[in-house]
Amino acid sequence: MSGRGLFINMEGGEGVGKSTNLGFLENFLRGNGVDVVVTREPGGTRLGEDIRDLLLQLREEPVDPTAELLLIFAARAQHIAELIEPALAAGKWVLSDRFTDATYAYQCGGRGVKRETVAQLEALVQGALRPDFTLLLDAPVSIGMRRAQKRGDLDRFEQETLAFFERVRSAYLRQAEVHGDRYRVIDASQSLVIVQQALAKVGTELLSKQIHRSAQS
Ligand code: TMP
């Protein structure tokens, strides 16, 4: 495939099945001949993974929301420079487990950071870079939290309250409304088979989008 690759992010609250479904979409795309780089946020680079550890570890002192926000964008800046931009420029597709939509959901929705603050950092760190396509796996908070708790030790985010995750979910759904052109919301409370049928449909849509784009370039 010629031209710039597509940038796709997968989003959702805790325990909505992101990892399993990301793997499914990755296999679907690879099976259709797409050269796809799978990555995640916070993380994706060595520096980013170190910052991820700092963000997720339990701490005795409360973490200031602005400190948390800046760490997230520091990891993102490195991720873009080292991995995302070079991959897209080389025509590869990038499939990221979370991106800035998570910041609007968790830091704005969850922590109460102003959307304008995130928008300013987004402009500074990303320039014009935005995902071409965003998949939101949406499920009632109680279902997701039950699944996350079964996984064992909870990280600093997973330890948050039900009310926090309700705000995260609402903020995601708001993002999906504001950016309806690039968002697809999938009901992740359905069975895995049904969720993956929906994902395969989205995958097909993405392939035709790329063919259309290549034809134009
Ligand atoms: P996870 O993606 O493995 O669930 O863990 C990453 C955690 O980081 C998750 O709880 C959400 C949080 N996070 C933010 O709070 N803001 C962000 O911008 C990103 C990318 C993740």
Side-chain angles (χ1 to χ4, degrees):
M1 267 176 234
S2 63
R4 192 175 159 87
L6 285 186
F7 179 26
I8 304 154
N9 59 327
M10 192 175 275
E11 302 285 345
E14 310 299 317
V16 292
K18 249 178 335 95
S19 311
T20 312
N21 289 310
L22 200 89
F24 176 85
L25 186 60
E26 176 190 1
N27 288 336
F28 178 90
L29 294 175
R30 282 199 205 288
N32 282 281
V34 178
D35 191 355
V36 55
V37 177
V38 176
T39 186
R40 69 172 179 182
E41 286 213 345
T45 65
R46 281 170 64 182
L47 178 62
E49 291 292 328
D50 286 350
I51 295 173
R52 178 188 178 91
D53 288 344
L54 284 174
L55 281 162
L56 298 194
Q57 69 190 199
L58 301 178
R59 304 191 67 87
E60 274 175 23
E61 76 281 25
V63 176
D64 177 74
T66 307
E68 180 178 282
L69 179 69
L70 293 175
L71 283 170
I72 287 166
F73 270 102
R76 186 162 294 143
Q78 186 68 21
H79 196 200
I80 293 168
E82 189 181 322
L83 189 146
I84 299 177
E85 269 301 344
L88 294 175
K92 295 176 185 169
W93 291 27
V94 174
L95 181 54
S96 186
D97 184 342
R98 303 193 188 280
F99 195 62
T100 308
D101 295 281
T103 315
Y104 283 101
Y106 282 78
Q107 279 61 51
C108 299
R111 305 267 190 242
V113 171
K114 286 195 186 118
R115 288 178 63 86
E116 304 85 77
T117 307
V118 172
Q120 281 171 355
L121 288 168
E122 189 178 30
L124 173 76
V125 169
Q126 297 171 219
L129 179 73
R130 299 290 181 277
D132 296 297
F133 215 83
T134 303
L135 274 158
L136 173 60
L137 297 175
D138 177 62
V141 169
S142 56
I143 294 182
M145 282 187 83
R146 249 199 323 270
R147 288 191 198 148
Q149 278 159 358
K150 272 199 201 143
R151 287 199 298 248
D153 290 346
L154 300 179
D155 67 33
R156 199 170 59 82
F157 288 97
E158 289 166 339
Q159 292 217 331
E160 283 295 341
T161 59
L162 207 67
F164 177 91
F165 289 113
E166 291 290 1
R167 295 197 300 276
V168 167
R169 184 183 184 204
S170 306
Y172 265 134
L173 291 171
R174 178 173 173 203
Q175 276 291 97
E177 252 177 53
V178 174
H179 301 287
D181 48 334
R182 72 172 157 92
Y183 258 87
R184 291 293 175 280
V185 183
I186 294 180
D187 176 357
S189 64
Q190 305 173 103
S191 73
L192 195 59
V193 176
I194 304 282
V195 169
Q196 296 190 340
Q197 275 170 3
L199 278 176
K201 205 168 143 207
V202 168
T204 307
E205 194 183 330
L206 291 172
L207 291 168
S208 64
K209 190 179 170 108
Q210 182 66 353
I211 290 164
H212 182 69
R213 216 197 217 187
S214 302
Q216 283 180 332
S217 64

